[in-house]
């Protein structure tokens, strides 16, 4: 023991928790602010999740892990160690903030620095626990501290995976790393730590005795959970579903064994007579959180299992990368974060904070009473709201059954609309935020009770109570270790001054009333939201704008809603069709459309011209669309680029009433009254946006013929600038409009791995290869990949592009590039450049976001979708070189007088060719489609003024500049020049 004189200034037994827990309080306040301001925060879902997991939970684990370790090992550290512990907690907080700042600002190196700091502090914490464990003399509950130590050593693995993710590695590693990161952090570090803590904390809050033998036996399954975590992490990294499922199965087995002990303790406590009522909120909140944890792990197992194969039983390549990780895993964030983590954390703190503040039995009892105010109401309302969110995200019959059971059949998932979600989430937010209010109230009550007791003691000539007893001194034979850690015993501590009385451990009528009040609150607000959602949908269905200002509608006969609901099933299939594509619905009926995507390769959705729409449906997904009351014809279509143009449309017709046409004359991307062929223009004299990097026009070196090339392309869908101030909803290879420039020698071997990380099917077609199209150019679904090997047996400037229908949409969206195979004996040039021309067709009106406001691309650019109408009418908005209009006007190509300059040219299309010309010079060499048309030593002395190429043709020209100056490389079809097909060449002496 250390003397009081050796104690650092500012640290006492009472001040340790207050100083150490400050960051936790700050994280709570910051979380409330972030939730309230989330529409203004970029990547707010990622931020909120990590504010809970890293900020709140990890910091709390460091604080309370130290607290429990000292109590369970009975090795209380000296007060001189406290400043180091507090400094470690603040260093962890700073590292977490650094990590978040790096992610939000897209600064990967900053994220890595923060991850290193987090890992270092956690390892320091683990080392400190290990030292205390080594110094302990045969403690009974050493297994809890060992679990803390092992779990802490898992976090650096998760931090390293998260740091790698900051660099956006692309598929297939993006999905694998994300799943492994979440498994090792949530199931490993947090899950194992929480499970170990509950073995001692749970009997403490229940105020019942723990059988040490049973606890030790159950604790062996903590190691099973750790092993399961590592196996599941390995399964994610190697993309092996069976390995991952084996790890999750072991993990769930450990949860079940430990859970059975916790259930037995709860039953044991319920049969006991307690001198005082137990603190109800910790019991209910921790219990509910533990159930959410088990349920969410089972749901993760189910999601992983469902990715084993496709609907026809054939194996799916890389099943985790998209269908599980990118598309569905985020559905578990609400159960994991709010259901499990927050409920267990707040329940534990509701018990531990009053106990750690001290002040004697009366102050403890008053503090626990404050933290348990409205306990049943809070727990019921929160869990009902969380359940509605969780079950509404489950598609198909299972989701409907769970949602219906939760809501007693009063709601369907399709009725859980946007307004309903806002109101129900507000209930959950207020319940969680009430913890902060009650915590502040508890502190005030504790101080008041402490002051009153001190005054009463002074009047009676007794010493006051300033702090809880030392943990070892407060232990009683009936205490559990966690209670001892708080300085109070589980049974006698709350009895004082002869006021104790024995009460049965049952929930009374008051608690039932609170439960009904919680359910009633959530259901009432949900009903209000459903009414608003239905009104908006119904107004849209009858052609009435939701905001009536400035609207006009015809004077046709009004059709009263019948109150009936018609439900139909529609399939989205691989033939780019809805089946059936004509729906007849009794006029006035409310229509529900169950949409099932049976296309094994492509993502689809259904959009109605009333504004109702589904989310993107991946292969095998099912969702119910609430179409509203049908009183007039409604048009529907798939909004995936190009699918509508291929005939993926649907018509809803009311029967039994006279109607006068659809609500929308075209239902297209253009708004009512907008010419679908109206041109989108840009100020081509302006420089590209600050985030736009000039595409390097220099031809890459040709690799050695002896070295086969292994290339990797990742398909994504991005919003990218193609002209100053104008961005396009693009589809791209490796992140840019126009894929990488590839070079290969004659006879070279290329093996390309194509990975689809987009939201629809894509493919690739190399014109230079001679391979079976059905094998190597096939469309692959999101999350899949293929290997495309071929040999470059012929010289030329070859096009490669996406060959998924409609090809015009995919090419004009940016999925094209050039492969250059120089002809045999090609003489060296002083400079070699590459210019690939493409044309782009944009919808006249800017795209809108989910909030109805205009969407923006990078640097605030106006964002436009691709227009199939303009493609069919051959009315391009921009014709560009290397993916951006006039980019080489502001950063020209360079040459010197007397140098031989070679320019490789390709007309990528999708439809237009090029008459390539350089103003102020003459070509002395022209190579087109595999053969020379002109050489410098030709006998006629001729020259060329243009290289004419049809769509998908390529070649090169050579020239020598004789004077300094600025020369223009143009498409001499001048209308395309004026649309952006212009590059400058700056020639110096």
């Amino acid at each position: 023991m250390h003397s009081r004189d050796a104690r650092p200034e500012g640290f006492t037994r009472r001040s340790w928790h207050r100083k150490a827990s400050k960051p936790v309080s700050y994280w709570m306040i910051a979380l409330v602010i972030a939730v309230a301001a989330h529409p203004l925060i970029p990547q707010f879902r990622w931020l909120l999740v990590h504010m809970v997991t890293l900020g709140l939970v990890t910091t709390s684990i460091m604080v309370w892990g130290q607290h429990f370790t000292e109590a369970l090992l009975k090795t209380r550290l000296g007060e001189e160690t406290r400043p180091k512990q507090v400094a470690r907690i603040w260093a962890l907080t700073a590292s977490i903030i650094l990590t978040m700042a790096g992610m939000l600002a897209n600064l990967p190196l900053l994220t890595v620095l923060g991850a290193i700091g987090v890992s270092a502090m956690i390892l320091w914490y683990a080392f400190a626990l290990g030292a205390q464990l080594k110094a302990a003399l045969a403690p009974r509950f050493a297994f809890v501290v060992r679990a803390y130590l092992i779990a802490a050593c898992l976090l650096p693995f998760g931090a390293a995976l998260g740091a790698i993710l900051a660099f956006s590695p692309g598929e297939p590693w993006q999905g694998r790393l994300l799943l492994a990161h979440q498994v090792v952090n949530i199931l490993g570090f947090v899950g194992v730590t929480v499970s170990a803590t509950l073995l001692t904390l749970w009997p403490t809050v229940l105020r019942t005795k723990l059988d040490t033998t049973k606890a030790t036996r159950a604790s062996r399954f903590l190691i099973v959970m750790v092993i399961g975590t590592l196996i599941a992490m390995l399964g994610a990294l190697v993309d092996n579903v069976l390995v991952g499922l084996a790890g999750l199965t072991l993990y769930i087995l450990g949860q079940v064994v430990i859970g059975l002990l916790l259930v037995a303790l709860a039953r044991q406590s319920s049969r006991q007579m307690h001198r005082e009522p137990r603190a109800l909120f910790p019991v209910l909140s921790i219990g509910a959180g533990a159930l959410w944890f088990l349920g969410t792990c089972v749901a993760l197992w189910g999601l992983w299992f469902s990715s084993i194969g496709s609907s026809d039983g054939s194996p799916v390549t890389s099943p985790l990368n998209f269908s599980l990780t990118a598309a569905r895993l985020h559905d578990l964030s609400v159960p994991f974060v709010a259901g499990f983590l927050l409920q267990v954390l707040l329940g534990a703190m509701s018990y531990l904070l009053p106990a750690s503040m001290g002040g004697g039995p009366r102050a403890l009892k008053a503090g626990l009473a404050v933290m348990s105010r409205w306990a049943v109401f809070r727990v019921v309302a929160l869990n009902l709201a969380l359940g509605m969110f969780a079950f509404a995200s489950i598609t198909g019959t299972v989701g409907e059954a769970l949602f219906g059971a939760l809501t007693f059949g009063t709601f369907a998932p399709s009725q859980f609309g946007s307004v309903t979600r806002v109101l129900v989430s507000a209930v959950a937010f207020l319940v969680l935020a009430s913890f902060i209010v009650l915590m502040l109230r508890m502190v005030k009550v504790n101080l008041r009770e402490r002051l009153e007791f001190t005054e009463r003691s002074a009047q009676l000539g007794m010493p006051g109570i300033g702090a809880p007893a030392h943990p070892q001194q407060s232990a009683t034979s009936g205490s559990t270790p966690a209670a001892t850690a708080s300085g109070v015993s589980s049974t006698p501590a709350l009895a004082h001054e002869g006021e104790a009385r024995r009460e049965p451990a049952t929930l009374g009528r008051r608690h039932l009333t609170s439960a009904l009040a919680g359910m009633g609150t959530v259901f009432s607000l949900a009903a209000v939201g459903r009414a608003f959602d239905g009104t908006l949908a119904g107004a849209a269905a009858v052609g009435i704008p939701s905001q009536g200002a400035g609207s006009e509608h015809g004077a046709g006969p009004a059709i009263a809603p019948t109150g009936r609901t018609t439900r139909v099933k529609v399939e989205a299939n691989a033939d780019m069709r809805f089946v059936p594509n004509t729906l007849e619905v009794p006029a006035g009926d409310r229509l529900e459309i169950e949409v099932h995507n049976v296309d094994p390769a492509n993502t689809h959705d259904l959009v109605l011209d009333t504004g109702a729409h589904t989310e993107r449906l991946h292969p095998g997904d099912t969702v119910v669309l609430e179409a509203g009351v049908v009183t007039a014809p409604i048009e529907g279509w798939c909004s995936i680029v190009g699918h509508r143009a291929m005939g993926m449309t649907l018509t809803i017709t009311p029967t039994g009433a006279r109607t006068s046409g659809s609500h929308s004359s075209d239902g297209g991307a253009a708004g009512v009254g907008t010419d679908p062929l109206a041109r989108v223009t840009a100020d081509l004299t302006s420089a590209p946006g600050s985030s736009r990097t000039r595409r390097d026009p220099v031809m890459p070196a040709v690799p050695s013929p002896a070295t086969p090339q292994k290339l990797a392309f990742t398909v994504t869908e991005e919003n990218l600038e193609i002209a100053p101030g104008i961005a396009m909803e693009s589809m791209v290879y490796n992140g840019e409009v126009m894929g990488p420039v590839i070079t290969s020698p004659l006879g070279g071997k290329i093996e390309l791995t194509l990975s689809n990380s987009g939201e629809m099917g894509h493919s690739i077609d190399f014109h230079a290869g001679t391979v079976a199209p059905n094998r190597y150019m096939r469309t692959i679904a999101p999350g899949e990949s293929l290997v495309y090997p071929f040999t470059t047996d012929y010289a030329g400037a070859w096009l490669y592009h996406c060959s998924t229908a409609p090809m015009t949409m995919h090419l004009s969206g940016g999925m094209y590039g050039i492969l250059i195979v120089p002809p045999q004996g090609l003489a060296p040039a002083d400079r070699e450049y590459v210019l690939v021309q493409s044309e782009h067709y944009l919808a006249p009106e800017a795209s809108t976001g989910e909030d109805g406001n205009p969407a923006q691309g990078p640097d605030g650019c106006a964002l436009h979708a691709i227009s199939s109408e303009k493609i069919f009418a051959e009315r391009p908005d921009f014709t560009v070189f290397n993916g951006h209009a006039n980019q080489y006007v502001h950063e020209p190509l360079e040459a010197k007088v007397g140098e031989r300059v070679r320019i490789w040219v390709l007309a990528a299309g999708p439809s237009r060719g090029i008459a390539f010309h350089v103003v102020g010079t003459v070509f002395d060499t022209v190579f087109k489609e595999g053969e020379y048309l002109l050489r410098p030593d030709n006998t006629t002395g001729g020259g060329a003024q243009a290289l004419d190429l049809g769509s998908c043709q390529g070649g090169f020209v050579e020239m020598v500049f004789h004077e300094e100056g600025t020369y223009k490389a143009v498409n001499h079809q001048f209308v395309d020049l004026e649309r952006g097909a212009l590059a400058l060449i700056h020639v110096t002496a």
Side-chain angles (χ1 to χ4, degrees):
M1 295 295 293
H2 297 266
S3 67
R4 291 181 179 270
D5 296 336
R7 184 179 304 151
E9 184 178 354
F11 279 91
T12 65
R13 293 173 184 174
R14 282 179 294 175
S15 67
W16 150 239
H17 277 289
R18 177 168 48 82
K19 293 178 181 291
S21 298
K22 276 187 178 180
V24 178
S25 302
Y26 294 153
W27 280 118
M28 286 184 181
I29 296 170
L31 183 62
V32 171
I33 295 173
V35 171
H38 75 269
L40 306 176
I41 300 175
Q43 302 186 56
F44 75 89
R45 177 187 286 271
W46 181 95
L47 181 64
L48 295 181
V49 168
H50 285 76
M51 287 180 75
V52 173
T53 54
L54 268 180
L56 266 178
V57 175
T58 303
T59 309
S60 297
I61 284 175
M62 186 174 283
V63 174
W64 294 106
Q66 178 62 49
H67 173 95
F68 281 111
T69 296
E70 293 185 31
L72 297 174
L73 300 181
K74 302 184 185 298
T75 55
R76 182 173 177 273
L77 298 182
E79 301 301 334
E80 73 278 1
T81 65
R82 302 307 185 190
K84 291 182 180 179
Q85 295 170 6
V86 173
R88 184 169 64 213
I89 293 168
W90 279 107
L92 173 68
T93 302
S95 300
I96 294 171
I97 293 173
L98 204 63
T99 302
M100 294 179 178
M103 285 298 296
L104 296 181
N106 195 24
L107 298 173
L109 293 179
L110 192 63
T111 303
V112 170
L113 186 61
I116 292 173
V118 170
S119 300
M121 294 306 105
I122 290 296
L123 289 177
W124 183 9
Y125 158 78
F127 177 81
L129 297 189
Q132 294 172 67
L133 184 61
K134 186 177 180 180
L137 300 175
R140 291 185 301 163
F141 297 97
F143 60 81
V144 176
V145 182
R146 290 194 190 98
Y148 288 170
L149 197 158
I150 295 173
C153 291
L154 291 176
L155 185 64
F157 289 97
L161 295 171
I164 297 172
L165 284 168
F167 291 90
S168 301
E171 295 293 356
W173 284 105
Q174 182 78 16
R176 298 180 187 182
L177 292 169
L178 176 60
L179 184 55
H181 168 74
Q182 298 200 5
V183 164
V184 73
N185 279 354
I186 296 181
L187 301 190
F189 172 62
V190 176
V192 172
T193 301
V194 170
S195 299
T197 301
L198 290 184
L199 286 175
T200 54
L201 178 62
W202 182 243
T204 301
V205 298
L206 289 172
R207 294 196 295 157
T208 192
K209 188 172 182 178
L210 176 65
D211 187 322
T212 309
T213 303
K214 292 181 179 179
T216 304
R217 195 160 47 233
S219 71
R220 295 169 186 164
F221 284 85
L222 292 171
I223 300 300
V224 174
M225 294 172 69
V226 172
I227 295 173
T229 299
L230 295 175
I231 294 175
M233 179 183 71
L234 177 64
L237 291 176
V238 301
D239 204 6
N240 190 307
V241 180
L242 296 181
V243 171
L245 288 176
L248 279 181
T249 302
L250 283 177
Y251 191 91
I252 293 171
L253 173 63
Q255 281 185 299
V256 170
V257 171
I258 293 173
L260 290 175
L261 175 60
L262 302 184
V263 171
L265 289 169
R267 295 179 61 187
Q268 175 180 301
S269 176
S270 67
R271 293 168 180 168
Q272 290 177 329
M273 301 296 288
H274 296 280
R275 296 186 178 186
E276 294 288 343
R278 292 163 299 178
L280 198 54
F281 182 77
V283 174
L284 297 179
S285 188
I286 294 174
L291 290 175
W292 274 110
F293 187 31
L294 176 61
T296 310
C297 289
V298 172
L300 176 59
W301 192 98
L303 288 179
W304 212 332
F305 179 80
S306 68
S307 67
I308 288 179
S310 61
S311 58
D312 61 359
S314 61
V316 175
T317 306
S318 300
L320 301 182
N321 295 339
F322 188 88
S323 64
L324 175 60
T325 307
R328 295 174 179 171
L329 197 58
H330 72 272
D331 290 338
L332 301 181
S333 59
V334 170
F336 259 134
V337 174
F340 164 49
L341 294 179
L342 283 178
Q343 285 205 97
V344 170
L345 176 63
L346 299 185
M349 291 180 67
S350 294
Y351 185 89
L352 295 171
L353 287 177
S356 64
M357 286 197 66
R362 182 185 291 273
L364 173 61
K365 177 183 176 182
L368 291 174
V370 171
M371 297 307 294
S372 285
R373 283 184 182 173
W374 318 299
V376 175
F377 174 88
R378 290 157 60 196
V379 172
V380 169
L382 175 62
N383 285 277
L384 181 56
L386 295 179
M388 294 176 78
F389 272 95
F391 297 154
S393 65
I394 303 176
T395 59
T397 306
V398 174
E400 290 187 18
L402 291 173
F403 194 92
L406 181 70
T407 59
F408 303 101
T410 59
F411 279 83
S414 60
Q415 297 171 325
F416 199 57
S418 58
V419 178
T420 308
R421 289 174 180 269
V422 169
L423 294 178
V424 172
S425 62
V427 175
F429 172 70
L430 291 175
V431 168
L432 292 172
S434 67
F435 177 86
I436 299 177
V437 178
L438 294 174
M439 181 177 65
L440 297 175
R441 174 64 181 167
M442 181 272 296
V443 172
K444 184 177 180 180
V445 168
N446 179 278
L447 295 176
R448 184 190 66 198
E449 290 290 340
R450 187 180 301 176
L451 179 62
E452 290 179 358
F453 185 82
T454 301
E455 293 175 349
R456 186 164 60 253
S457 299
Q459 292 174 1
L460 298 175
M462 297 170 58
I465 297 179
H470 185 280
Q472 297 180 16
Q473 297 169 344
S474 65
T476 65
S477 59
S479 301
T480 62
T484 301
S486 299
V488 292
S489 60
S490 62
T491 303
L494 294 181
H496 58 90
E497 299 184 12
E499 296 177 1
R501 61 185 179 87
R502 300 172 66 85
E503 288 191 0
T506 58
L507 293 176
R509 183 178 301 175
R510 177 170 55 87
H511 299 123
L512 178 61
T513 303
S514 296
L516 293 175
M519 295 171 59
T521 300
V522 175
F523 284 147
S524 298
L525 289 175
V528 172
R530 182 175 64 176
F532 275 99
D533 286 326
T535 300
L536 295 176
V542 297
I544 302 174
S546 59
Q547 297 177 0
S551 64
E552 294 181 5
H553 23 222
I559 299 175
T562 63
R564 297 188 300 267
T565 298
T566 296
R567 185 163 185 162
V568 295
K569 295 183 178 181
V570 171
E571 291 184 346
N573 64 27
D575 295 327
M576 297 297 165
R577 294 292 183 273
F578 288 116
V579 180
N581 62 1
T582 300
L583 309 179
E584 293 188 349
V585 181
D589 275 17
R590 181 178 298 279
L591 174 62
E592 294 178 352
I593 307 174
E594 183 178 322
V595 186
H596 182 203
N597 183 9
V598 298
D599 187 338
N602 291 295
T603 300
H604 297 292
D605 64 8
L606 175 58
V607 176
L608 304 182
D609 63 8
T610 62
H613 61 87
T614 69
E615 68 268 18
R616 298 284 173 93
L617 302 179
H618 306 294
D621 282 355
T622 301
V623 72
V624 176
L625 173 63
E626 173 61 57
V629 177
V630 177
T631 61
I634 300 173
E635 298 297 325
W637 62 89
C638 177
S639 71
I640 304 296
V641 61
H643 290 193
R644 185 182 186 188
M646 297 174 68
M648 203 162 189
T649 60
L650 175 147
T651 301
I652 303 170
T653 303
T655 60
R658 293 182 59 189
T659 56
S660 56
S662 174
H663 305 299
S664 173
S665 60
D666 56 19
V672 176
T674 300
D675 179 2
L677 300 180
R679 190 181 168 208
V680 176
T681 60
D683 181 5
L684 296 182
T685 64
S686 299
S690 59
S691 65
R692 170 75 188 187
T693 302
R694 171 184 182 262
R695 188 67 177 265
D696 188 357
V698 176
M699 175 181 159
V702 180
S704 168
T707 306
Q709 293 191 71
K710 289 185 178 293
L711 306 176
F713 280 11
T714 300
V715 179
T716 55
E717 284 128 27
E718 316 270 355
N719 298 330
L720 298 174
E721 182 181 288
I722 61 168
I726 301 295
M728 176 176 68
E729 295 180 2
S730 310
M731 300 171 282
V732 292
Y733 298 117
N734 287 6
E736 289 188 280
V737 172
M738 191 181 104
V741 175
I742 307 172
T743 59
S744 175
L746 268 173
K749 295 186 181 300
I750 295 177
E751 182 181 284
L752 175 103
T753 300
L754 179 70
S755 300
N756 186 358
S757 295
E759 293 191 353
M760 66 188 79
H762 292 291
S763 59
I764 195 165
D765 170 7
F766 282 94
H767 286 196
T770 53
V771 297
N774 62 314
R775 183 176 180 184
Y776 297 110
M777 302 177 196
R778 63 183 175 86
T779 297
I780 57 174
E784 291 189 1
S785 61
L786 63 77
V787 177
Y788 189 137
F790 65 100
T791 304
T792 54
D793 294 323
Y794 300 93
W798 300 97
L799 174 69
Y800 67 82
H801 64 91
C802 181
S803 59
T804 299
M807 285 183 278
T808 52
M809 302 288 286
H810 291 251
L811 264 80
S812 64
M815 300 189 75
Y816 63 89
I818 184 172
L819 165 61
I820 297 175
V821 183
Q824 191 71 40
L826 180 65
D830 296 299
R831 299 179 189 265
E832 281 191 86
Y833 293 110
V834 179
L835 294 177
V836 178
Q837 178 186 282
S838 59
E839 71 263 17
H840 302 280
Y841 308 80
L842 305 181
E845 287 194 345
S847 302
T848 56
E850 294 182 357
D851 57 1
N853 295 319
Q856 291 187 339
D859 300 315
C861 288
L863 179 62
H864 294 262
I866 302 168
S867 169
S868 59
E869 289 90 346
K870 288 185 179 179
I871 290 176
F872 296 145
E874 297 188 41
R875 298 273 291 274
D877 296 290
F878 300 101
T879 308
V880 307
F881 286 146
N882 294 356
H884 194 284
N886 285 16
Q887 62 178 313
Y888 303 120
V889 171
H890 303 278
E891 295 183 74
L893 285 62
E894 295 181 351
K896 291 185 178 180
V897 172
E899 288 184 333
R900 175 159 293 274
V901 178
R902 179 181 297 135
I903 301 179
W904 292 84
V905 184
L906 175 70
S911 301
R912 300 176 71 84
I914 185 174
F916 184 73
H917 170 69
V918 176
V919 179
T921 190
V922 172
F923 305 146
D924 62 15
T925 304
V926 177
F927 180 92
K928 175 183 176 181
E929 286 296 287
E931 188 55 84
Y932 285 95
L933 302 183
L934 182 68
R935 290 178 181 266
D937 56 356
N938 69 86
T939 58
T940 63
Q945 57 194 311
L947 171 61
D948 62 315
L949 301 171
S951 179
C952 98
Q953 291 189 315
F956 67 81
V957 295
E958 294 179 7
M959 69 217 79
V960 176
F961 296 98
H962 299 288
E963 296 182 5
E964 298 179 62
T966 299
Y967 298 74
K968 295 180 180 180
V970 303
N971 184 340
H972 214 279
Q973 295 170 178
F974 281 149
V975 66
D976 290 318
L977 158 67
E978 294 171 356
R979 292 189 181 115
L982 169 65
L984 300 183
I985 306 174
H986 186 53
V987 179
T988 58

